[in-house]
Amino acid sequence: MIEVVASMARGPVFLAGELMECLITFTNPMSHLSTSASSEMLAWASAQIHCQFHASENRVALPAQGNKQDVQAESDTVLIPSRGERGQCMLDTPPKILFCDLRLDPGESKTYSYSELVPVDGPPSFRGQAVKYVYKLTIGCQRVNSPIKLLRVPFRVLVLQGMPEPPFPQDEEVSPSNPFLEEEEASRRDARPLERALDMLMVTTSRRCPHMFNITNMRGKVAKFCIFKTVYRLGEDIVGTFNFSEGDIPCLQYSVSLQSEEEIQEHYQRRPGQAVSVSGHGRHMESCLHTASSHFSLPIPLNVTPGFSTDIVALRWRLHFEFVTAREPMEPPTVHQNQSEVTVWSGAEHVDVDTFSWDLPIKVLPTNPALASYVSQFSGTNSINI
């Protein structure tokens, strides 16, 4: 028996275009003192990245495909990374050979390093109601005259879509000059694509420009709403404020929900005019009668998928507001200036109300993959015995 362990040391989350590194260790666990100990042999091992696509047949109409044989003969030495997986393999990288003819004595282990750029032309990892995109690193191993054994390590891919073009050429020195840094070291630092992408992401999501909205219904003005920006990173807090003192209509209650919209592109919809799938990721609700101002803070979870669009599906983000307003003016409780006793005010038992909603589109972008790794459902490590 040989134990195979694959481990992504930096974590299981990567940006598209980033270099992924994985250490793969092969061990003969038998002790050399055992009477039955013997050397173990492996003919070869290779590794590659692939992305599996799965769609709900009730919501997505995919073009018919020919029958594909997913059966691998015991003597076959061709690695099919998606063998036994659900859905279609829509993207894969060329396989890389780790070794040929490996011999391990009892207690001996050998470690190989696999590195590959995460494809930039693929979708992000996504588990929606109608569509799923799943990335895995697959390591294939084979003994002589034995079937191929597959070890899969799932990981998450974040894709930067909708980012503005950098305002400077990529080969131009953009960092402030520092006399304590050597020029070669600074150039090498700026040449790293991950750092350039994270710098641009930070600049884009750090810009603050207050946006003001007048909240009104058919009876008049309810409040003024202010949000400081509409572009966010995963893990950020969305903060907004309400000013009810400028409203003419009493507002009894409001709620704000962070929602994502999963829409199948028209060409792939199972039914014409198919409804958009909406998922909630957080909600703030507050009673606000006779309140001059209020605010809310909604965190964006680190484990959700930023907005993206492919030929099949588009994911967008929005804030969904719901307001409950009174149809008639409601007088606030009066407190006399020289009153010393405590006054208890009881609200009305019956109030005629109106309700209305409003959606504000926002943009959600990725974050530093090292930060997202802390809450990932994947461990970045897996093992198999062959």
Side-chain angles (χ1 to χ4, degrees), residues 207-209 211 213 227-232 238 319 360-364:
R207 295 170 181 160
R208 290 180 176 267
C209 180
H211 297 73
F213 301 90
I227 191 169
F228 300 101
K229 61 178 184 176
T230 57
V231 181
Y232 299 88
I238 303 174
L319 291 176
L360 175 64
I362 62 171
K363 185 176 291 186
V364 176

Side-chain angles (χ1 to χ4, degrees), residues 256-302:
V256 188
S257 301
L258 176 63
Q259 298 179 343
S260 61
E261 300 176 296
E262 179 187 354
E263 182 178 14
I264 304 302
Q265 306 289 10
E266 184 177 0
H267 182 67
Y268 292 95
Q269 291 182 4
R270 178 63 67 180
R271 296 173 300 276
Q274 188 169 301
V276 175
S277 300
V278 178
S279 300
H281 304 277
R283 186 168 185 249
H284 175 91
M285 185 171 64
E286 189 168 322
S287 298
C288 55
L289 179 60
H290 305 316
T291 300
S293 62
S294 180
H295 75 280
F296 69 88
S297 178
L298 280 175
I300 303 176
L302 283 168

